[in-house]
C-alpha cells in the first residue's frame, strides 16, 4: 500500500471560511508544523535527467548581499542545483503551487525562496518517488479517506499526472495555466483539489494535495542537503538549531539561542 499522506497529525494549511483560503492562519499553521518535521529527511539517488533545457523557467538561488555603493556582483551559478525528474514546465507549476501553500510574508521567506520545489523534484527522482520501500502489489482497495491512496501509481507518476491536471483544471476554470493565474485563482484551484471537487479518475485530488502539502513543509524545514531550506532560512525563521552534534555543554544552563548547523557544517573541519 502506498502511503501518500502527509506527516501524521498535519492539518489543512489554513482555516477556511466560505471556501476561501485564509493566508495568515495558513502560514501560522505551516510555520508551527515545522517543529514536527525535524532536521533530516531521507534523500534519494539520482533519477532521470532534465528533459527540457529552458533555464529561464527555473529560479536562481538567493543573491549574495552587495556592499553599499559597489557595483552589483555577478550572481554565482549554483552547479549543485538542477532538476532531476521534473520538466521545466512541471517545475514551474510545482514552484507556484508550493509558494501558495507556504507563501512569503513578514515572518520569512516562502517556498520558492527556500527552494522547496527543488527538494520535491529530488525526492521524486529517488527512492521516495519510486515508493521503493513500500509494498506495491495488488489487491488494491478503495480505503477510507484517512487511509490514503492504494494503487499501482508511484509518487512520481502521481505528481506528473496531478501537475498536468492542475493546468487542465486551471484552463477549464480560468482559461489559463496554473502559473499564469492570480494568487486568489491559484488558491481556488488548490482548494478544489483539496476538497475533491476536481473530477479525476486516475488519482485522488485530495490525496495529491495532502502529499503536496506535506512535501512542501518537509522541503521548508529539512536539511539544506536535500535541496530545500536554502541557507537554513526555514530553521532561522523558527530559531531551530538544526543539526547539532551535542547539547551536553548547554543542557544544564539557561536557554540560549543557538545558530543553526546543517549536516554540511560538520564537514567544514575536515
Amino acid at each position: 500500500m502506498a502511503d501518500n499522506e502527509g506527516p501524521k497529525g498535519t492539518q489543512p494549511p489554513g482555516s477556511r471560511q466560505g471556501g476561501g483560503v485564509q493566508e495568515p492562519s495558513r502560514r501560522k499553521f505551516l510555520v508551527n508544523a515545522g517543529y514536527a518535521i525535524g532536521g533530516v529527511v531521507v534523500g534519494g539517488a539520482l533519477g532521470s535527467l532534465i528533459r527540457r533545457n529552458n533555464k529561464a523557467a527555473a529560479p536562481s538561488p538567493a543573491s549574495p548581499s552587495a556592499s553599499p555603493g559597489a557595483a552589483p556582483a555577478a550572481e554565482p551559478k549554483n552547479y549543485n542545483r538542477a532538476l532531476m525528474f521534473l520538466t521545466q514546465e512541471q517545475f514551474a507549476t510545482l514552484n507556484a503551487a508550493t509558494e501558495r501553500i507556504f507563501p512569503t510574508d513578514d515572518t520569512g521567506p516562502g517556498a520558492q525562496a527556500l527552494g522547496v520545489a527543488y527538494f520535491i523534484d529530488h525526492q521524486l527522482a529517488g527512492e521516495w518517488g519510486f515508493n521503493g520501500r513500500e509494498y506495491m502489489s495488488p489487491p488494491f482497495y478503495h480505503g477510507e479517506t484517512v487511509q490514503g491512496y492504494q494503487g499501482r501509481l508511484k509518487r512520481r507518476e502521481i505528481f506528473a499526472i496531478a501537475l498536468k491536471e492542475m493546468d487542465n483544471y486551471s484552463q477549464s476554470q480560468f482559461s489559463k495555466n496554473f502559473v499564469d493565474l492570480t494568487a486568489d485563482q491559484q488558491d481556488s484551484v488548490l482548494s478544489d483539489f483539496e476538497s475533491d471537487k476536481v473530477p479525476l479518475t486516475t488519482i485522488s485530488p485530495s490525496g495529491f494535495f495532502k502529499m503536496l502539502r506535506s512535501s512542501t513543509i518537509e522541503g521548508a524545514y529539512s536539511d539544506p542537503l536535500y535541496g530545500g531550506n536554502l541557507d537554513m532560512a526555514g530553521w532561522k525563521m523558527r530559531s531551530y538549531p538544526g543539526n547539532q552534534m551535542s547539547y551536553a555543554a548547554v543542557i544544564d544552563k539557561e536557554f540560549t539561542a543557538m545558530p543553526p548547523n546543517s549536516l554540511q557544517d560538520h564537514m567544514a573541519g575536515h
Side-chain angles (χ1 to χ4, degrees):
M1 183 180 95
D3 180 10
N4 293 320
E5 300 286 352
K8 303 301 182 185
T10 56
Q11 299 296 324
S15 61
R16 295 180 175 282
Q17 296 178 358
V21 178
Q22 304 299 311
E23 191 164 298
S25 59
R26 171 178 60 194
R27 179 52 182 266
K28 181 179 179 180
F29 163 77
L30 290 170
V31 169
N32 290 337
Y35 282 125
I37 299 303
V40 178
V41 171
V42 177
L46 288 174
S48 58
L49 300 177
I50 301 173
R51 298 173 182 173
R52 302 285 297 273
N53 186 21
N54 180 10
K55 297 181 179 179
S60 300
S63 302
S65 58
S67 301
E75 183 176 301
K77 290 185 177 180
N78 186 345
Y79 293 101
N80 294 323
R81 172 166 283 189
L83 299 182
M84 296 181 177
F85 171 69
L86 297 172
T87 66
Q88 297 287 354
E89 290 79 7
Q90 291 170 330
F91 179 84
T93 302
L94 178 63
N95 203 30
T98 57
E99 179 66 17
R100 294 312 307 152
I101 293 173
F102 197 100
T104 299
D105 62 14
D106 56 0
T107 64
Q112 184 170 337
L114 292 170
V116 166
Y118 284 106
F119 167 86
I120 296 175
D121 170 73
H122 297 354
Q123 295 300 311
L124 291 173
E127 196 171 50
W128 186 79
F130 283 99
N131 296 66
R133 297 187 180 184
E134 297 165 23
Y135 183 80
M136 294 291 292
S137 297
F140 302 117
Y141 298 101
H142 184 72
E144 300 295 331
T145 302
V146 296
Q147 292 180 308
Y149 170 78
Q150 297 187 44
R152 299 179 185 277
L153 293 177
K154 300 178 175 62
R155 292 189 181 92
R156 52 171 32 208
E157 296 168 332
I158 293 174
F159 263 86
I161 293 171
L163 294 173
K164 180 61 177 177
E165 293 296 346
M166 286 176 64
D167 273 342
N168 291 340
Y169 189 70
S170 299
Q171 286 285 351
S172 70
Q173 299 298 308
F174 305 105
S175 300
K176 294 180 180 177
N177 285 337
F178 184 81
V179 296
D180 298 321
L181 302 180
T182 65
D184 288 341
Q185 290 171 335
Q186 290 177 338
D187 286 350
S188 175
V189 171
L190 291 172
S191 296
D192 286 350
F193 268 79
E194 182 184 19
S195 56
D196 276 327
K197 293 181 180 178
V198 182
L200 298 180
T201 57
T202 51
I203 63 171
S204 163
S206 61
F208 166 70
F209 181 83
K210 291 175 183 177
M211 187 161 52
L212 174 63
R213 179 186 60 194
S214 62
S215 300
T216 299
I217 298 172
E218 290 166 4
Y221 294 113
S222 293
D223 192 281
L225 169 68
Y226 302 105
N229 190 16
L230 184 65
D231 195 30
M232 298 185 286
W235 290 349
K236 293 173 184 176
M237 184 165 49
R238 300 300 307 146
S239 298
Y240 179 66
N243 190 287
Q244 301 286 333
M245 294 295 287
S246 172
Y247 294 94
V250 298
I251 195 169
D252 58 345
K253 296 182 172 59
E254 295 293 329
F255 175 80
T256 302
M258 303 173 66
N261 275 342
S262 71
L263 293 173
Q264 195 277 338
D265 288 323
H266 303 317
M267 299 290 293
H270 297 278

